[in-house]
Amino acid sequence: MSQATRRRPNPAQWLMYAFGFGLPAAYREWVLHDLTTGTWQARQMLRSLVQVVPFAAAIVLLMPGELWVRLVAVLGGAVVGMIYAAAYLEEATEHRARKAGYPRGTLQSVRYAAHAEEHAEADRRYAERYRQGDNSPGSE
């Protein structure tokens, strides 16, 4: 499906999607694009950051205490949250794809296909350097 015909969610739908809700089937192609485009990691981290914002705002606005303490607490929590988000980046996107109806492994195959020429060139260089004519000592 081309970019011109791929339906994008409206802001309210995107916000729900950012919080982990699924989108209607009409947005299935957009979800695949969202999870496999060249900026998929940044998009997922942005969604994770959006999930933190309401809690951070509540802590800063509603908790008693010095403002600087609340801000440092929010910053520390956000940093830990982003570390976890980065650690589970692949799993989180895979889960989103499954919600959209894609089988496990679809994201990896689409991402690989998008860079197939680069992978083929890297494989060729590897084979040229390490697999042909092994002249290392002790290889006799």
Side-chain angles (χ1 to χ4, degrees), residues 1-9 13 26-27 29-31:
M1 185 176 274
S2 73
Q3 186 175 352
T5 58
R6 186 174 42 238
R7 290 185 63 188
R8 296 178 56 92
Q13 288 172 319
Y27 298 98
E29 291 292 325
W30 180 85
V31 170

Side-chain angles (χ1 to χ4, degrees), residues 70-92:
R70 291 177 281 162
L71 291 173
V72 169
V74 164
L75 179 63
V79 167
V80 170
M82 292 300 100
I83 290 170
Y84 274 99
Y88 292 102
L89 198 63
E90 297 265 348
E91 292 84 354

